[in-house]
Each structure stands twice: as structure tokens, then as C-alpha cells.
Amino acid sequence: MRVLAAGSLRRVWPQLIAHFPEAVETQFGPAGLLREHIASGEACDLFASANLAHPQALLAAGRAQSVAAFASNSLCLTVRSEVLRDGDDWLSVLTRDDLRIATSTAGADPSGDYTQMLFDRMGVAGEAVRKRALALVGGRSSAPVPAGRLAAEWIIHSGQAEVFIGYASYAALLREIAGLTVLDIPEPFNPRAEYGCAVMTAQGQRLADFLQSEKAKTILQNEGFLPGGAALTRPTKTNP
């Protein structure tokens, strides 16, 4: 079975597949770019995306057999600890002009899309932050994150920025890294990242069913993901 999967699933995926009885070959990448590859004819049995809109687009185009939502996520800030001032929170950090802010790339990577939604929800302050933000990962020409490194850790420790906006599923790991501080973003500012898969073949359907199982949900939540929807969406058939 061949799977194309969002890069944010890379760390949890081996744990999931260890409980699935079939052999799975997985290619990871930014979900927006993976969707483009599938739309252009690249074959796979299942596409696991960090944005439900990408599988739904493949379904609407007749490329997928069905769509299943299986998890969700949110955003957080990772900050170089030494730049924090007394009383700083997520909003004061983002609006400090002396700090460089890194994000993933909107359009190519859902993390970047959700970050743009965060800026939208911040109103006027968010527009100013949007203009300053640097899209450093997840794009067509972005430098790859070194193997075994987290994007936030690599960006900050390599001196490319002082702040990184990324998925909260990494928060527990990031909090264990010296020199980094993770700040939560409260609702209603924090977008909900909805993960979904596009089922391309009968083989893929079996994996989609597993991703919606209680075992898979437990694994995902233990790795920092939030619960997601469970309903399958299939193409609507009309009578001739």
C-alpha cells in the first residue's frame, strides 16, 4: 500500500502503522503540494492531509472514492527563551517588532494556511504581523528541515528567527529542548486544524477505517493530536 502523508504526521505514523496488519510505504511532505501531485496523476492508495479541504478537493474532482476526518490539531508559539520579557504572552511576543517570526508556507503547507487564519483573527494587529512573518519551511523551494530535527527547534537554534508558529502537537517535545519556551494560543484566536484522508483505492479504505479506530485515536492523542471527526464522505450519486 502506498500513502502520501502530511509531514506533521511523520513522528506518529510509525506507531500507527505498527498496529496495521498490512505493509505501508509512506512519502511525507507538505499536504498542499502532495494534493497537487495526486491531482496531476501521482498514484497512491491513501492521502493523509493536515487540512480536510485537500482530500475534499480530490473527492469533488472525482479523484478520490471517499474522505474521512480522523484527527485535529492547533497552533502554538515556540520562542527563544532568552528573548522573553517579564509578562510576555503569545500576543505580546507576536507584536514585538524586535523579534523575527517564522512560519510555514501558506498554500503549500496547511500549517502556513492556519497561521494566516490566526493573523486574520487577530485583526489589525495580525495584519502587521503578517507583513513581518517569514515563510521559511514547507514551500516548493524551502530548505529541508534536517532529519531528526523539529522545524521550530531548527529555525530558532540556527538563528533564522526568534519565534516559530507551528502545530501544538509538537509542544510537549519542544518544551523538553533547552533554550526554547512554548506559548499557548487561546481560543478563539487559535484555528482548529482538521486532518482528513482521501481514500483512493479499496486498500486505502482499510487504512482509513483503521485511522478512525479507537486504537488509532488513542495513539494520536498520546502524541498531542486532538480528536477529529469520524464520518466518511462519499460522492453523491444522482439518478440519470
Side-chain angles (χ1 to χ4, degrees):
M1 184 184 306
R2 186 166 190 266
V3 173
L4 300 183
S8 55
L9 293 169
R10 188 187 301 270
R11 286 180 174 265
V12 71
W13 198 251
Q15 298 178 54
L16 292 167
I17 297 307
H19 295 274
F20 185 67
E22 301 178 40
V24 177
E25 173 196 344
T26 307
Q27 175 185 332
F28 297 97
L33 298 184
L34 294 179
R35 178 191 60 78
E36 292 179 4
H37 293 168
I38 296 170
S40 297
E42 184 166 345
C44 66
D45 297 290
L46 184 126
F47 166 46
S49 170
N51 187 334
L52 193 57
H54 291 311
Q56 288 173 333
L58 293 173
L59 182 70
R63 298 283 301 174
Q65 297 179 2
S66 62
V67 170
F70 64 91
S72 64
N73 211 334
S74 60
L75 299 177
C76 69
L77 300 188
T78 305
V79 188
R80 183 186 296 277
S81 300
E82 64 186 18
V83 305
L84 287 170
R85 300 169 178 167
D86 290 343
D88 263 339
D89 63 5
W90 73 277
L91 183 57
S92 66
V93 165
L94 287 183
T95 54
R96 279 178 51 184
D97 291 340
D98 61 316
L99 300 180
R100 293 170 297 171
I101 300 167
T103 76
S104 194
T105 305
D109 187 353
S111 176
D113 298 330
Y114 295 123
T115 298
Q116 295 301 311
M117 292 173 61
L118 167 65
F119 297 156
D120 290 341
R121 296 179 181 191
M122 291 171 63
V124 175
E127 289 305 313
V129 179
R130 194 196 315 271
K131 292 176 182 179
R132 295 171 40 232
L134 308 169
L136 298 183
V137 294
R140 289 176 177 81
S141 58
S142 299
V145 177
R149 304 285 295 277
L150 299 177
E153 169 205 3
W154 174 61
I155 288 290
I156 293 172
H157 280 172
S158 63
Q160 300 178 63
E162 290 75 47
V163 183
F164 184 82
I165 306 174
Y167 287 126
S169 56
Y170 294 117
L173 290 172
L174 290 166
R175 285 189 170 105
E176 296 177 355
I177 299 174
L180 300 181
T181 297
V182 177
L183 300 178
D184 296 327
I185 302 170
E187 295 182 5
F189 298 98
N190 202 338
R192 187 84 160 192
E194 294 292 344
Y195 283 63
C197 55
V199 176
M200 314 301 289
T201 66
Q203 276 186 301
Q205 181 64 65
R206 294 194 291 274
L207 181 52
D209 291 341
F210 169 72
L211 290 175
Q212 294 179 290
S213 70
E214 291 304 316
K215 182 64 177 179
K217 290 177 182 178
T218 298
I219 293 171
L220 285 159
Q221 291 179 44
N222 285 344
E223 288 299 313
F225 290 84
L226 302 168
L232 279 170
T233 304
R234 301 179 187 278
T236 301
K237 294 183 179 180
T238 57
N239 293 324

